[in-house]
Amino acid sequence: QVQIVESGGGLVQPGGSLRLSCAVSGIIFSDYHMGWYRQAPGKQRELVARVTSSGITNYVPSVKGRFIISRDNAKNTVYLQMNSLKPEDTAVYYCNSDYSPRWSWGQGTQVTISA
């Protein structure tokens, strides 16, 4: 059974930084491309960053240059370093396989950007 546990969210001021972590168990983690998603109030969940099994990364334009996704296969963990945060980054952040989520969603981690 696959378990996903996201952490690292919080309340920060605009321009601040956060580092999110997502620990995944129950799979051969290194086999999978992974993604970070977010869901803002009243909006659909969207994929914002992905990292392939070989470490290639992609970002949506709204976060490119500010967010960095990475993975540590030894720890079965994917990270999202978020810099220069904006109020519009406020959302619950989730991880899953990229593009077509394969597993049940974790609880997510709330990120709130506010002065």
Side-chain angles (χ1 to χ4, degrees):
Q1 184 178 354
V2 180
Q3 270 200 314
I4 298 174
V5 180
E6 299 97 344
S7 61
L11 170 64
V12 298
Q13 293 186 342
S17 297
L18 282 172
R19 189 191 193 210
L20 307 184
S21 299
C22 172
V24 185
S25 59
I27 59 169
I28 302 175
F29 181 76
S30 58
D31 284 353
Y32 292 93
H33 306 329
M34 295 297 298
W36 276 100
Y37 299 74
R38 67 184 180 189
Q39 186 167 22
K43 295 188 176 181
Q44 287 194 331
R45 186 154 27 204
E46 62 168 342
L47 176 66
V48 297
R50 66 183 287 263
V51 57
T52 69
S53 57
S54 60
I56 296 171
T57 59
N58 299 97
Y59 304 90
V60 294
S62 60
V63 308
K64 193 170 185 179
R66 300 188 298 121
F67 290 10
I68 301 171
I69 188 171
S70 61
R71 64 191 297 159
D72 185 336
N73 289 336
K75 295 182 178 180
N76 282 19
T77 300
V78 58
Y79 302 98
L80 188 67
Q81 176 67 44
M82 305 189 297
N83 302 317
S84 302
L85 284 161
K86 305 175 181 181
E88 51 264 42
D89 295 318
T90 295
V92 180
Y93 284 72
Y94 303 87
C95 76
N96 210 306
S97 58
D98 69 335
Y99 294 129
S100 297
R102 297 171 179 261
W103 311 300
S104 296
W105 296 98
Q107 82 287 350
T109 187
Q110 176 70 49
V111 171
T112 303
I113 312 305
S114 175

